[in-house]
Amino acid sequence: MHQELLLREIRKRIGDKSLNDEIANILNISYDAAHRRTSQKAKFSFEEALELAKYYQISLDQFLTSDHQI
């Protein structure tokens, strides 16, 4: 659920650019590895999520609700 919310925020910010290309370039991973993450067959690591959030200036706090506090 949280990964989909992060991906949705990134999609808003990149417009018509390829989501897989963007993530592959930012995380320095292959296109196939990026595709596995964007199709949610693989999860972002915590470090990857932080790197994407920092790059796109997305606050990860917005994904936390009172039911999911760490």
Side-chain angles (χ1 to χ4, degrees), residues 6 13 24 35 37 49 60 68-69:
L6 178 59
R13 294 165 194 262
H35 181 265
R37 286 161 177 80
L60 294 178
H68 298 96
Q69 287 186 0

Side-chain angles (χ1 to χ4, degrees), residues 1-65:
M1 178 177 110
H2 293 104
Q3 183 159 322
E4 177 57 36
L5 295 173
L6 178 59
L7 289 169
R8 195 176 306 153
E9 282 297 315
I10 293 170
R11 282 185 187 106
K12 286 181 192 176
R13 294 165 194 262
I14 65 172
D16 292 334
K17 295 179 185 175
S18 166
L19 181 61
N20 292 332
D21 285 338
E22 284 282 306
I23 289 178
N25 289 331
I26 294 163
L27 298 180
N28 198 27
I29 59 177
S30 70
Y31 181 91
D32 288 338
H35 181 265
R36 285 191 296 275
R37 286 161 177 80
T38 61
S39 64
Q40 298 188 44
K41 293 178 183 173
K43 298 284 186 190
F44 288 123
S45 70
F46 184 70
E47 289 80 12
E48 290 172 337
L50 284 176
E51 191 168 339
L52 290 168
K54 182 179 175 183
Y55 185 88
Y56 288 107
Q57 300 179 339
I58 298 170
S59 171
L60 294 178
D61 289 345
Q62 67 182 319
F63 305 127
L64 298 177
T65 63

